[in-house]
Amino acid sequence: MGRRAPCCDKKGLKKGPWTPEEDKQLVDFIQANGHGSWRLLPKLAGLNRCGKSCRLRWTNYLRPDIKRGPFTAEEQKSIIQLHAIVGNKWSMIAAQLPGRTDNEIKNYWNTHLKKQLRRMGLDEPPPGPTAARHMAQWETARLEAEARLSLLSSSGAAATATTSGSASSSSTAAAGAPMAEHAKPADVFLRLWNSDIGSSFRKAAAPVSVKEEEAVLPGAGDDSSAASNEMDAAAAEYQMFLDFAGEELGLFHGRHGGYSLFPPLDVLSEASLDTAF
DNA sequence: AAGAAACTCAACCGCACTATC
DNA sequence: TGATAGTGCGGTTGAGTTTCT
């Protein structure tokens, strides 16, 4: 497929921040006519913007169902948990947080959570010999999860077909479309997270990263093999976590972007979330 | 009080995928 | 069947704001 010309290469199209007038024009038009073809929309709505810019503005800012304001503790937890399994699939994560956009979650992750986790020693450690190993564990686990998605997708994911219904795009789900596939409020992720496997994973994850840091410090090194064993154990725990998610709970159903991985947040019991941490 | 540094987040860019012709 | 159009997604940028020195 050849490279496409950028949609905004037309001279004279406005870029940069949207004015309240432009916002109103866009909202009025979409409310009256729907967005239809994004490429045609700006012309029809009388906006001097490219369609892509209009779509972005609408989906990330103007959509009526967008929840503004700070992320709640529950949302933070969900993001962290989901990110641990699916990685930077912001649209998938957003699909589980009604009213939040992928862009918002991505920004929140990059500016708050990443930093927070790093402080706790749970995110990518600083560069070094053990860092590569630590990162490799996480990356391996993440790739495993993605491989499962692809595998299930290519093998038809028969079980999924019965529950997925409308293979709506993640952004549609994020836009508040009803998620028929989640009619049964089975808080699958909580079951996983609260299971023995989830519990042991949680216990293993934090201390290991601290120990692996100590293991590379001069003078702290006579126990490096023990630290290494613990890291292997943590990797194994995480692997079990993923296996359990994929095989026992059927968590990785369907093609990513096509179906939701988990039930929407609003079916999750707040109390269970609190006890999960 | 002022300049520098750090932070935040809306918006843009470019690639990838699907649909259509 | 290949080319093209349309759209979605993740990564990145940069202007505005806040905090620090």
Side-chain angles (χ1 to χ4, degrees):
Chain A
M1 199 178 299
R3 265 293 281 125
R4 280 164 37 79
C7 75
C8 303
D9 59 351
K10 195 175 149 191
K11 293 230 170 18
L13 288 184
K14 192 180 171 197
K15 285 184 174 184
W18 281 64
T19 64
E21 291 73 30
E22 286 176 312
D23 282 348
K24 185 173 184 315
Q25 230 173 318
L26 181 59
V27 169
D28 287 349
F29 181 84
I30 291 178
Q31 282 176 349
N33 309 288
H35 63 71
S37 162
W38 285 112
R39 188 162 283 226
L40 296 176
L41 185 146
K43 191 183 282 183
L44 297 173
L47 284 160
N48 191 29
R49 295 270 184 175
C50 73
K52 201 170 182 174
S53 180
C54 294
R55 179 174 57 80
L56 215 63
R57 184 64 180 169
W58 173 256
T59 56
N60 286 339
Y61 200 81
L62 297 174
R63 244 173 40 202
D65 58 323
I66 285 183
K67 194 201 276 183
R68 315 297 309 176
F71 282 78
T72 65
E74 283 70 32
E75 286 173 320
Q76 283 185 32
K77 287 172 195 171
S78 296
I79 294 169
I80 292 168
Q81 291 166 359
L82 290 162
H83 187 272
I85 293 180
V86 303
N88 297 359
K89 303 292 180 195
W90 306 116
S91 59
M92 290 169 77
I93 296 173
Q96 309 308 316
L97 299 174
R100 299 295 188 184
T101 68
D102 52 359
N103 204 39
E104 198 179 7
I105 292 171
K106 178 173 58 182
N107 281 334
Y108 187 65
W109 175 268
N110 286 330
T111 58
H112 294 89
L113 296 180
K114 209 166 160 182
K115 220 179 295 172
Q116 207 171 309
L117 291 176
R118 189 173 292 144
R119 271 201 299 271
M120 294 162 65
L122 287 173
D123 200 13
E124 297 94 338
T130 58
R133 184 185 169 86
H134 186 104
M135 286 168 71
Q137 287 174 7
W138 280 84
E139 184 64 6
T140 300
R142 194 181 65 74
L143 290 174
E144 168 74 11
E146 292 204 32
R148 285 179 196 285
L149 289 169
S150 309
L151 190 63
L152 284 168
S153 164
S154 60
S155 67
T160 309
T162 61
T163 56
S164 61
S166 67
S168 61
S169 74
S170 53
S171 57
T172 306
M179 296 192 207
E181 66 267 35
H182 296 310
K184 183 169 62 97
D187 49 352
V188 179
F189 186 76
L190 273 180
R191 280 177 55 202
L192 168 61
W193 192 251
N194 287 327
S195 69
D196 290 343
I197 292 171
S199 159
S200 56
F201 169 68
R202 292 195 299 277
K203 275 185 242 158
V208 164
S209 60
V210 172
K211 289 193 175 179
E212 67 177 287
E213 291 302 321
E214 287 171 350
V216 294
L217 291 174
D222 63 343
D223 203 15
S224 62
S225 65
S228 171
N229 287 341
E230 288 209 40
M231 283 158 55
D232 289 341
E237 299 274 10
Y238 190 34
Q239 187 56 57
M240 286 170 68
F241 185 80
L242 288 169
D243 288 344
F244 188 66
E247 291 162 20
E248 300 301 322
L249 299 180
L251 204 54
F252 300 125
H253 276 173
R255 185 174 182 286
H256 96 260
Y259 318 119
S260 294
L261 281 171
F262 311 116
L265 189 66
D266 57 353
V267 306
L268 301 180
S269 132
E270 211 164 295
S272 337
L273 267 172
D274 286 336
T275 58
F277 272 73

